[in-house]
């Protein structure tokens, strides 16, 4: 906006100052108003110089313009007074300044300056008021500063250029006069005219000298201001560097270089322009010089200072835009593997280059290797030089992109190197820091420089299993953001990390993997794990404790990285949406769950199993303290075939006689399970549900083993299978079955020719869920076959529960451990499966359409050690229809190689608890689904989901 | 610059203070007068001259032959309203002496600057006057030395006595001597190579007792021989305007002097009560209470020892804004620009603070 317009927009208090200003001035405000634009466009200050012809010219132009204005027809009658005032002003001005137009020029210049001052005051006040209100971040303040200063710098530069052109004019005029009038050798005193001429020549020289001084002063000022500006740019670049470093660690930051590039380029351009100007000044000095010529004295110094400034600017403008990184899924840069390709990119932020000059970038690895014993040396296999390219698009900037670099270790690098190295011996591979240095031969406008920049230190590994610990080193190093050049031996004595800083970095890890960082509570739990108590802001963690101390089998970092891996592969979405409470200690879990309803559960990471996640839930009993059972942690291996939400949905605890129930009802604090996890359940095929009519029963074949036997071989199992009889169980008294009540399941044989087993079980159903089985709760199975041993009371005990829950010995969660190997047909509720915990029945729900919603069977990895038999659940139609319905399933089983459950429910049976099916089941043992003995032997916590074992599949074909 | 200025002699405090005392004893009385005037007649001054005349707007001074140093120092004086108030009260000397009277010439220059409504004026008359006192034109001066010379010429100096405390370590005889300094010459090097980090560190180091041993031993009257002494300085009084000279020069070898460009931050507010310990000062609480200073001006030097340029950053006492004076070119700046003169290790020719002028906070 033009100055006069801005002045008019001032608030009244300031306008008063303006009125005062003009009340005393010889220039009437009317004239100022009338010729506002023209007045502002003239250089009055320059015209005010003594002996300047410009003042007179400007003065006459002003009078002429005023005259023109008066004569123009645009002024209507209402402006009669204005016209009159202008006429009067014109006369007055002419009278007053005819003789001394310089004074007039000075007057106008001062008025304009004063106006500017008042405007500035107002601006400052406005800023002072506006500043405290919105708490703008400091950074954006600095960015505004930079932009403002750049604009000021450019204005000042233009001013300096104008002053320079003025100087040129003055010099030319002096030069001309000098050549014309100055004739040494003549008698000077004799000729008064000559003396006068010499005098005027002397005066001209004075003016020339003053202008030279003036230009130099301006240059000094410009250099001073650009120093400050460069300081700001440096800070901004430093901030970017830190952002980059943090983003390498996974922090969500913006690492865009565009604004910096613009600023650096702009300042660079300005400074190069200044350099040209200084050279031109030198040329002027060549043409005309005199004793004590300020140009002669100062120009070289100014140029020297400017070159230094430019060098500094360019040096810092050469940056590594992309740190070395090999493609990996975890977004972890700075860890390179020999023989695998990686890339790195350097950029020159000052986007100025000479097209004729070929700019080559070279890279070196470990140019100045640290004196560490056994420090490995590497060669870059691919070409180590590249031309710095300005893309066709000017927005691309000056970039040098090194792609497909590979490293190879020098053969003798382990021996003979670093004989004077540190005494503490060689660093392990994952603590050895390497650097790549980029060098660029830059030349522009006569300035030739060798620019250099280095990457952040990186780690070279030779095997993927070093990745995790290498990454720990990278985290540790960058947390301290020290100077990479001097710190290649950082890990000779790594400093301890302050907890707040470490906490932040750890949080980034989760954020980068699954878009959600660690909450305060998470961090508190981690801190307690590390320090044993609440952390203070001054707590520090040593490198050893973080990455090496493996008293519990693995180090803190290994544990955490295991969880990260698990999240990355399987639980991203759940973590992101905050469904996993995650870092909760067992104690805290109990505290949290204690006051909640039975069936409230939470998901937490195991502290004993690397990369494991577990569910803990609460069960309140009518008498005694609540129990907090937890399932043995799922690891990536278990989650690979079946996703966690599906496990949760179909998770069932099977206790003898009881109807299997899903104990997981409410996600902590009190979100109904299906509401919380519904969106994550996998789609199932319930296509031909309606065509199925076999709802009455379901057959489940079960294979088990003798308790005192070790694992049977495959053959034995097959033999056993042959011996097994199919039991058909019929549900009895279903109508009375309620959660919380006594469930009586009557098992009857429904098939002729089959051993009939009537299993009368009295299952205690805990209020709201399944889970706690009293030791006295017997499940009696009547063996129907002579081959089967008589059923034994289930083994229930603390020892079992300890195995079940590796974390809490105290939780007496009792599980039924039948020792029989049998095949039964069971009622819908207490499936008399020998395998209790590891199998759950699918939750059966009544769909809105009146159909049964099939549910997945969750096979828990919590197998009881004594109970290594695996359950194969298959839902089969009841009675005579067993065979026809079996066949298709067998087919499915074969193809799917899966244990299938076909829950069967007769929805017409009234009084049935909606979640319980009145179907019978066949437990069927089929070879392909039997666990391999080796699997079980490997781990006491056997599971249906060990790698060799296929997941459960639901076949809903038996449903209506 | 540094080479020809006398200040390398002052690297030993003892010598310096002695010579300083000699020079300045005569003017102490004058000084007391001046400060009294300042305090008691301030109000009258305002009424006499009016606000407008006391405005001290930022006006440039033309360079009249390598006079950037003079210009910078002059600006520091002329922008100081407390100084100019006193200056305006001087009795006009008789015609014959006017040309040689520095104060009168300064007053003339001030009037020219404030009333001329020019962007810049030429201090040529004052320069001519000064050259009569061997302050030559076309010679690059050392700002610190020029500052001292000007003070002495004006016979108007602010009191800054220090109690020099010499304690003989052998016989515990203590010798005390009053001495005053115009400028606090602060070394920014600690034991030859170690850089001090901040201005506060420098001050602390400056007032740290120094042991005079070996060839620095002093003669003890009681012992009758040269004994090792512990020399320490105690602060008695601080002037209204405190000038700190950062000795940014390093004499590595006798022949070569180089400038130290390292970063040395200085605060905008300086409180001597925080910096000095109890036994480093010898003053009553009243005196101590107003040892609170605010930065008023910075004379900065750019370039090397062999050449360079001076400019002054001055905070206007009427507008409370920073200005940068580069000879005739004056522009408004911000504290960030002043901070640039902290120094930068990679810019050897950049602007670095050389003289720091602090002013008492509660002058009114």
């Amino acid at each position: 906006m033009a100055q006069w317009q801005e002045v008019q927009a001032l608030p009244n208090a300031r306008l008063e100052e303006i009125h005062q200003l003009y009340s005393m001035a010889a220039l009437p405000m009317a004239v100022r108003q009338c010729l506002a634009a023209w007045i502002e466009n003239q250089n009055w200050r320059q015209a005010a110089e003594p002996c300047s012809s410009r003042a007179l010219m400007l003065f006459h132009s002003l009078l002429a313009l005023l005259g023109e204005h008066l004569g123009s027809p645009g002024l209507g009658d209402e402006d009669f007074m204005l016209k009159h005032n202008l006429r009067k002003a014109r006369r007055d001005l002419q009278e007053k300044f005819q003789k001394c137009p310089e004074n007039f020029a000075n007057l106008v210049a001062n008025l304009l300056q004063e106006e500017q001052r008042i405007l500035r005051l107002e601006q400052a006040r406005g800023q002072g008021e506006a500043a405290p209100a919105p708490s703008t971040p400091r950074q954006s303040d600095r960015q505004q500063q930079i932009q403002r200063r750049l604009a000021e710098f450019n204005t000042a530069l233009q001013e300096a250029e104008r002053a320079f052109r003025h100087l040129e004019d003055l010099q030319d005029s002096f030069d001309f006069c000098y050549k014309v009038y100055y004739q040494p050798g003549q008698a000077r005193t004799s000729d008064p005219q000559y003396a006068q001429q010499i005098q005027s020549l002397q005066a001209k020289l004075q003016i020339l000298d003053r202008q030279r001084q003036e230009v130099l002063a301006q240059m000094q000022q410009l250099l001073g201001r650009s120093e400050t500006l460069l300081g700001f740019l440096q800070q901004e670049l430093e901030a970017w560097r830190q952002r980059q470093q943090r983003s390498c660690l996974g922090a969500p930051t913006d690492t865009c270089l565009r604004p910096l590039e613009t600023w650096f380029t702009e300042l660079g351009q300005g400074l190069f322009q200044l350099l040209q100007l200084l050279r031109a000044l030198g040329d002027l000095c060549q043409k005309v010089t005199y004793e004590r010529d300020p140009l002669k004295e100062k120009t070289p110094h100014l140029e020297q200072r400017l070159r230094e400034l430019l060098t500094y600017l360019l040096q810092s403008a050469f940056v590594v835009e992309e740190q070395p990184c090999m493609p990996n899924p975890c977004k972890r840069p700075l860890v390179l593997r020999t023989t695998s390709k990686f890339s790195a990119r350097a950029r020159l932020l000052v986007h100025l280059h000479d097209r004729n000059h070929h700019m080559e970038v070279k890279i070196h690895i470990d140019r100045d290797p640290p004196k560490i014993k056994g420090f490995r040396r590497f060669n870059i296999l691919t070409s180590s030089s590249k031309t710095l390219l300005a893309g066709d698009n000017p927005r691309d900037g000056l970039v040098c992109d090194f792609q497909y670099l590979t490293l190879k270790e020098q053969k003798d690098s382990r021996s003979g190197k670093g004989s004077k190295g540190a005494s503490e011996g060689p660093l392990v591979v994952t603590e050895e820091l390497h650097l790549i240095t980029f060098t660029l031969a830059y030349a522009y406008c006569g300035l030739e420089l060798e620019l250099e920049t280095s990457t952040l230190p990186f780690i070279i590994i030779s095997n993927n299993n070093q990745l995790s610990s290498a990454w720990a080193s990278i985290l540790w190093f960058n947390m301290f953001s020290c100077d990479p050049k001097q710190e290649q031996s950082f890990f000779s004595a790594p400093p301890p990390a302050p907890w707040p800083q470490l906490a932040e970095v750890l949080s980034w890890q989760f954020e980068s993997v699954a878009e959600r960082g660690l909450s305060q509570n998470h961090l508190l739990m981690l801190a307690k794990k590390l320090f044993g108590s609440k952390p203070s802001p001054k707590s520090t963690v040593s490198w050893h404790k973080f990455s090496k101390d493996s008293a519990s089998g693995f180090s803190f970092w290994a544990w955490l990285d295991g969880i990260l891996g698990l999240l990355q592969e399987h639980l991203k979405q759940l973590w992101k949406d905050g469904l996993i409470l995650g870092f909760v200690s067992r104690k805290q879990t109990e505290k949290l769950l204690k006051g909640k309803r039975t069936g409230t559960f939470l998901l937490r990471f195991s502290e004993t199993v690397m990369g494991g996640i577990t569910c803990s839930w609460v069960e309140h009993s009518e008498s005694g303290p609540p129990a907090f059972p937890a399932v043995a942690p799922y690891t990536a291996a278990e989650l690979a075939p079946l996703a966690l939400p599906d496990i949760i949905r179909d998770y069932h605890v099977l206790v003898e006689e009881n109807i299997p129930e899903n104990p997981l009802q409410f996600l902590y604090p009190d979100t109904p399970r299906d509401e919380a996890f519904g969106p994550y359940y996998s789609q199932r095929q319930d296509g031909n549900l309606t065509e199925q009519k076999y709802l009455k029963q379901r057959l489940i074949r079960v294979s088990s083993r003798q308790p005192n036997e070790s694992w049977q071989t495959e053959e034995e199992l097959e033999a056993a299978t042959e011996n097994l009889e199919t039991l058909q169980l019929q549900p009895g008294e279903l109508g009375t079955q309620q959660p919380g009540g006594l469930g009586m399941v009557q098992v009857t044989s429904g098939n002729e020719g089959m051993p009939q087993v009537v299993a009368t079980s009295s299952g205690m159903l805990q209020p709201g869920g399944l889970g706690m089985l009293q030791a006295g709760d017997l499940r009696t199975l009547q063996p129907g076959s002579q081959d089967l041993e008589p059923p034994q009371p289930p083994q229930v005990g603390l020892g079992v529960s300890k195995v079940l829950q590796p974390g809490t010995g105290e939780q007496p969660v009792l599980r039924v451990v039948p020792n029989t190997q049998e095949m039964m047909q069971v009622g819908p509720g207490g499936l008399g499966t020998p395998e209790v915990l590891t199998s759950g029945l699918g939750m059966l729900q009544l769909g809105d359409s009146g159909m049964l919603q099939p549910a997945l069977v969750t096979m828990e990895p919590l197998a009881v050690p004594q109970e290594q038999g695996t359950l194969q659940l298959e839902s089969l139609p009841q009675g005579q229809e067993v065979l026809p319905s079996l066949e298709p399933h067998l087919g499915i089983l074969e193809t799917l190689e899966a244990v299938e459950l076909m829950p069967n429910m007769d929805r017409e049976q009234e009084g049935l608890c909606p979640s319980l099916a009145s179907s019978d089941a066949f437990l069927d043992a089929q070879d392909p689904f039997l666990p391999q003995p080796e699997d079980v032997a490997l781990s006491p916590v056997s599971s249906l989901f060990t790698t060799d074992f296929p997941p459960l599949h639901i076949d809903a074909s038996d449903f209506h | 610059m540094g080479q020809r200025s006398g200040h390398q002699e002052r690297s030993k405090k003892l010598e310096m203070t002695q010579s300083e005392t000699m020079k300045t004893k005569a003017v102490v009385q004058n000084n007391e007068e001046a400060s009294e005037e300042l305090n008691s007649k301030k109000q009258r001054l305002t009424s006499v001259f009016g606000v407008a005349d006391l405005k001290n707007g930022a006006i440039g001074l033309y360079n009249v032959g390598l006079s950037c140093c003079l210009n910078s120092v002059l600006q520091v004086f002329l922008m100081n309203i407390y100084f100019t108030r006193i200056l305006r009260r001087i009795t006009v000397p008789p015609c014959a002496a006017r040309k040689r009277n520095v104060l009168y010439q300064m007053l003339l220059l001030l009037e020219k600057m404030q009333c001329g409504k020019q962007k810049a004026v030429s201090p040529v008359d004052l320069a001519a006057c000064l050259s009569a006192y061997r302050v030559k034109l076309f010679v690059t001066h050392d700002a610190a030395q020029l500052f001292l010379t000007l003070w002495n010429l004006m016979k108007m100096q602010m009191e800054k006595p220090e109690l020099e405390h010499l304690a003989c370590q052998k016989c515990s005889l203590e010798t005390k001597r009053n001495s005053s300094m115009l400028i606090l010459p602060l070394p920014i090097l600690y034991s030859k190579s170690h850089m001090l980090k901040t201005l506060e560190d420098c001050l602390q180091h400056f007032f740290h007792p120094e042991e005079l041993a070996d060839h620095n031993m002093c003669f003890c009257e009681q012992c009758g021989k040269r004994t090792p002494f512990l020399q320490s300085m105690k602060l008695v009084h601080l002037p209204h305007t405190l000038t700190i000279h950062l000795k940014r020069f390093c004499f590595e070898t006798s022949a070569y002097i180089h400038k130290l460009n390292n970063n040395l931050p200085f605060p905008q507010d300086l409180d001597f009560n925080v910096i000095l310990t109890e036994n480093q000062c010898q003053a009553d609480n009243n005196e101590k209470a107003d040892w609170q200073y605010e930065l008023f001006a910075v004379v900065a030097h750019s370039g090397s020892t062999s050449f360079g340029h001076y400019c002054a950053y001055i905070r206007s006492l009427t507008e409370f804004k920073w200005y940068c004076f580069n000879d005739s070119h004056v522009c408004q700046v911000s504290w960030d620009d002043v901070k640039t003169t902290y120094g930068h290790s990679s810019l050897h020719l950049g602007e670095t603070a050389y003289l720091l002028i602090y002013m008492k906070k509660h002058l009114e």
Side-chain angles (χ1 to χ4, degrees), chain A residues 110 149 225 301 308 312, chain B residues 117 307 313 334 337 344 348:
Chain A
N110 283 333
R149 278 173 184 273
R225 299 295 70 78
H301 302 155
E308 189 187 62
Y312 183 50
Chain B
K117 300 228 160 151
F307 72 89
Y313 291 88
S334 67
D337 293 280
H344 196 297
H348 299 290

Side-chain angles (χ1 to χ4, degrees), chain B residues 10-231:
Chain B
R10 272 180 271 130
S11 55
K12 280 216 182 92
K13 289 164 222 155
L14 190 62
E15 290 172 13
M16 189 215 69
T17 46
Q18 275 172 330
S19 61
E20 257 355 280
T21 324
M22 296 279 285
K23 258 195 257 170
T24 56
K25 225 166 228 173
V27 295
V28 166
Q29 204 153 7
N30 196 343
N31 168 39
E32 274 166 4
E33 222 170 79
S35 53
E36 197 183 290
E37 271 169 26
L38 181 88
N39 288 331
S40 63
K41 293 166 188 167
K42 187 225 140 205
Q43 280 209 312
R44 220 184 63 207
L45 275 169
T46 324
S47 59
V48 169
F49 295 104
V51 186
D53 276 336
L54 290 176
K55 205 163 66 177
N56 285 37
I59 306 294
L61 289 170
Y62 280 109
N63 192 318
V64 287
L66 300 182
S67 66
C68 57
C69 177
L70 177 68
N71 286 347
S72 300
V73 173
L74 278 178
Q75 291 285 9
V76 172
F77 280 113
L78 297 178
M79 286 294 284
N80 183 348
I81 48 171
Y82 303 102
F83 174 79
T84 53
R85 275 171 195 169
I86 297 160
L87 189 65
R88 283 172 203 271
R89 292 200 69 255
I90 59 161
T91 42
V92 178
C95 281
R98 277 181 195 173
K99 276 209 175 283
R100 285 179 62 88
N101 188 311
V102 178
L103 281 176
Y104 182 68
Q105 290 299 333
M106 275 180 95
L107 182 60
L108 283 185
L109 181 65
L110 179 69
E111 294 297 321
K112 206 162 137 195
M113 285 164 80
Q114 297 309 314
C115 307
K117 300 228 160 151
Q118 300 273 322
K119 173 176 156 283
V121 295
S122 170
V124 70
D125 293 334
L126 180 63
C129 163
L130 286 174
S131 61
Y133 297 97
R134 291 189 295 158
V135 181
K136 293 218 166 57
L137 278 179
F138 304 106
V139 168
T140 24
H141 291 277
D142 174 76
Q145 198 208 4
L146 189 71
F147 188 81
L148 282 173
T149 321
L150 262 180
W151 262 126
N152 287 330
L153 281 172
M154 290 185 295
K155 307 280 187 217
M156 255 180 66
Q157 142 219 33
M158 299 204 183
E159 193 184 16
K160 166 70 190 53
E162 272 172 73
L163 191 63
E164 197 178 322
H165 190 121
L166 280 170
C168 172
Q169 294 204 301
K170 206 159 188 183
C171 62
S172 78
L173 173 85
E174 295 190 2
T175 36
K176 288 185 185 178
R177 190 165 30 149
N178 274 320
S179 61
S180 37
M181 284 185 219
L182 275 168
I183 292 182
L184 274 186
L186 288 190
I188 63 165
L189 277 180
Y190 171 68
S191 67
K192 287 279 174 204
S193 57
H194 181 77
M195 295 283 183
L196 290 159
K197 291 279 186 303
T198 61
L199 180 74
E200 288 91 334
D201 286 349
C202 293
L203 282 166
Q204 266 160 5
H205 180 244
F206 183 74
F207 285 99
H208 196 73
E210 187 185 12
E211 195 176 350
L212 303 177
D214 301 329
H215 65 274
N216 280 332
M217 285 195 295
C218 293
F219 184 80
C220 172
E221 285 171 13
Q222 200 164 314
C223 306
K225 59 175 179 183
R226 281 159 63 89
T227 55
F229 270 67
L230 192 70
Q231 182 197 27

Side-chain angles (χ1 to χ4, degrees), chain A residues 686-692 851-854 956-960:
Chain A
D686 39 11
N688 50 358
L689 218 98
T690 44
E691 284 138 43
Q692 295 297 324
M851 283 189 279
L852 290 174
Q853 295 282 328
S957 55
D958 277 354
F959 289 123
H960 264 324

